[in-house]
Amino acid sequence: MNPFMFFTKSDLAGQIIFVVLCVLSLIGWTTMFGKYFQLKRMRERNASFANELSNATSVSDVRTQNYANCPYAELTASANGALERAQSMSIDSGAQMAHVENAIQRSLNSVSHVYESKLIFLGSIVSGAPFLGLLGTVWGVMIAFSGIAMQNGPATIQSLAPGVASALLCTVAGLLVAIPAVFGYNYLLTQAKVLTSELENFSSALADRIELETFVPQQQATAETIR
C-alpha cells in the first residue's frame, strides 16, 4: 500500500481535507521562502542606504528616491519632508524638532509592519494544520467504523486497517504541513524583530543627526546674536 492508495480509499470529505492541507503546505513554503528573501533584500538595501547616509554631508543630500522598498530610505524621506514643512512655519526650533520626531515615529510605526507582514498567515497555518489533520482522521475513523458496523460478516483487522490507514493519512499530512511551518515561522519572526530593533535604532540616530545638523547651529547663532 502507498499514500495514493490511502487517498483513494478515503471518502470525499477526507480527500478534500487532504487536498486543502496540500495547498496549505504549498502556500506555507512559498510564504517562507518569499518572506526570507524579502527580509534579506531589505537588510541589504538598509545597509547600502546607511553607508551612503554616513558619507553624506547632510541628511537632506541623500537621494532617498533611489532606494525602493528600503525602510531606512522611507524613514529618511519622511524626516526630510517634515523638516521642510517645519522650516516653512513660524515656530521655534524646539517645535520644529518635535514635528520632525513625530513624523519619524509615524513612519517607523508604518514601516515596521512590513517586516512582519504575512507572518500572521504563516502562524495560522502552524496552528490550523494539525487540527485539520485531526479532523480528517476523526472523520475517516468514524466512517471506517460505520462501514464495519454495516457489514454482514464479522469485523476483522484486515477489513478495518485500510479505512483507519487512510484516515491517519490526514494526521500525517497535517503534521508535515505544521512542522516545517513552525520552524520557518519562529526563524522569520526572530529576523523581523531584529530588523525592527535595528530600524528603531536608526530612527533615533536619524533624529539626533537632524537635530545636530539643523537646530543646534540655529540655537548657537541665536545665542551669539543675543550676546
Side-chain angles (χ1 to χ4, degrees):
M1 300 183 70
N2 54 61
F4 180 75
M5 292 181 63
F6 296 155
F7 177 79
T8 56
K9 289 182 177 296
S10 302
D11 66 329
L12 180 60
Q15 291 177 351
I16 291 175
I17 292 175
F18 182 80
V19 171
V20 169
L21 288 171
C22 290
V23 172
L24 289 178
S25 177
L26 179 61
I27 294 175
W29 281 105
T30 303
T31 301
M32 286 188 288
F33 279 107
K35 193 63 183 178
Y36 170 78
F37 288 111
Q38 181 191 29
L39 294 178
K40 182 180 179 181
R41 287 193 300 269
M42 285 184 175
R43 185 186 292 275
E44 293 172 350
R45 290 171 182 170
N46 285 343
S48 178
F49 181 83
N51 182 60
E52 181 175 345
L53 181 62
S54 64
N55 296 326
T57 305
S58 66
V59 175
S60 58
D61 292 339
V62 181
R63 292 171 293 182
T64 57
Q65 64 272 16
N66 294 341
Y67 292 87
N69 298 322
C70 176
Y72 284 11
E74 293 182 27
L75 239 66
T76 304
S78 297
N80 287 335
L83 180 61
E84 292 177 0
R85 292 191 300 270
Q87 290 177 336
S88 65
M89 302 176 185
S90 299
I91 55 178
D92 58 27
S93 58
Q96 291 180 19
M97 189 61 206
H99 180 69
V100 173
E101 290 176 343
N102 290 336
I104 292 176
Q105 186 61 45
R106 287 192 298 270
S107 181
L108 174 63
N109 294 334
S110 175
V111 172
S112 60
H113 290 304
V114 178
Y115 288 141
E116 298 186 12
S117 64
K118 299 182 181 179
L119 290 182
I120 295 177
F121 180 72
L122 188 59
S124 299
I125 293 178
V126 171
S127 302
F131 288 103
L132 278 175
L134 180 61
L135 174 62
T137 298
V138 173
W139 179 266
V141 171
M142 182 178 65
I143 296 299
F145 279 103
S146 297
I148 293 296
M150 290 186 293
Q151 286 183 359
N152 296 325
T156 61
I157 190 65
Q158 288 79 11
S159 59
L160 181 63
V164 174
S166 62
L168 292 175
L169 179 64
C170 289
T171 296
V172 175
L175 293 176
L176 290 178
V177 173
I179 291 174
V182 70
F183 286 106
Y185 173 79
N186 290 333
Y187 174 79
L188 293 172
L189 183 61
T190 301
Q191 294 300 310
K193 288 182 178 179
V194 170
L195 289 173
T196 301
S197 178
E198 293 175 353
L199 185 64
E200 291 173 351
N201 293 335
F202 174 80
S203 66
S204 177
L206 179 64
D208 290 341
R209 181 169 177 179
I210 291 175
E211 185 174 11
L212 291 173
E213 289 180 355
T214 306
F215 299 109
V216 171
Q218 291 179 2
Q219 294 172 356
Q220 291 176 346
T222 302
E224 292 177 0
T225 302
I226 293 175
R227 290 176 185 176

